[in-house]
Structure formats: structure tokens, C-alpha cells
Amino acid sequence: MLGIVCSLITALTCVDAAITLTQEPIKTVSAGQQVVLNCNIQRYDRNYVSWYKQVPGGVPQYVLSFLHSNSLLTFGTRFSSDQFSSKYLSEIDFQVIIQAERGDSALYFCQTWDDSAEEDVSQ
């Protein structure tokens, strides 16, 4: 059975940032299963929440961005709504939903813009 590992960075904080993002630890699913990854952005600044995928030894790939205020969802190259989706549970709690396929084992992390620190914050 093929195991798909979706892991998340934990406790990465920019020193000057007022926002600290939090995510769940590692999840393992099989190909064909759905995995839901959560991201808490601590404070809503009316900005996009973006998700990235990074395979070990590789550079992060932009998966998608979601704007809560109008439910606008945009995708990066090679990523589509057939496999990836996003939604919000509240103004600070966001999810990415992945229909797991072979090759999806990676580190997934969320990112948003912190208005008060004027910088991107990733988790």
C-alpha cells in the first residue's frame, strides 16, 4: 500500500511579526484518500492565505491562495481544483483539502501577509 505523507512545519515564527501561524503535525494517508490540513493565522488582516508544497530537497511550489472575503481561489502552475481545494472555518482558521495521489508526499505549509509587520509570515 502506498503511503502518502503530508507533513507541516511547526513553530516557525518571524521575530518581528505580530502573527504566528500554527498548523497540525504529520498526517499519513493512502493514495485516493482525502487529507485536510488546517492553518490558524491568529489575526485576520483581510489578506490571502496561500499554501505551498515542498518535497525534500526541493524548493517550495505555490499550490493555491484563498481570499476569505469573496471565496476567491487561485491555483499555481500544475495544481488544479481537481485535486486541491481550500475553505475557511472562521476568519482565522483555514484548510487545504487534498485528494491524495502518488507523488504528493511533501511538506505543506500556509502563508499570509502580516499588515502590522509588513511582511509575509509562513508556517
Side-chain angles (χ1 to χ4, degrees):
M1 178 187 290
L2 172 68
I4 308 248
V5 177
C6 297
S7 59
L8 300 158
I9 298 173
T10 56
L12 173 65
T13 306
C14 295
V15 175
D16 294 335
I19 291 178
T20 302
L21 303 180
T22 55
Q23 293 182 227
E24 301 169 305
I26 296 172
K27 290 188 176 188
T28 303
V29 298
S30 298
Q33 290 184 316
Q34 183 181 78
V35 62
V36 177
L37 305 176
N38 295 298
C39 176
N40 177 285
I41 63 171
Q42 191 177 28
R43 185 186 74 240
Y44 182 59
D45 285 341
R46 295 179 181 82
N47 295 314
Y48 284 91
V49 172
S50 300
W51 290 87
Y52 292 84
K53 173 184 179 179
Q54 185 173 14
V55 277
V59 297
Q61 298 175 300
Y62 166 68
V63 176
L64 61 83
S65 291
F66 184 77
L67 185 59
H68 165 266
S69 62
N70 63 3
S71 298
L72 179 63
L73 189 61
T74 56
F75 293 92
T77 307
R78 292 182 253 152
F79 297 98
S80 72
S81 61
D82 293 339
Q83 187 183 8
F84 295 89
S85 183
S86 187
K87 67 179 184 177
Y88 67 94
L89 304 175
S90 70
E91 288 185 339
I92 61 170
D93 292 302
F94 290 79
Q95 295 180 324
V96 67
I97 300 103
I98 305 167
Q99 296 300 321
E101 296 178 358
R102 186 180 191 108
D104 284 337
S105 292
L107 176 76
Y108 291 85
F109 59 95
C110 59
Q111 175 270 328
T112 192
W113 179 259
D114 184 336
D115 284 344
S116 64
E118 296 183 357
E119 64 184 19
D120 283 323
V121 181
S122 298
Q123 174 61 46

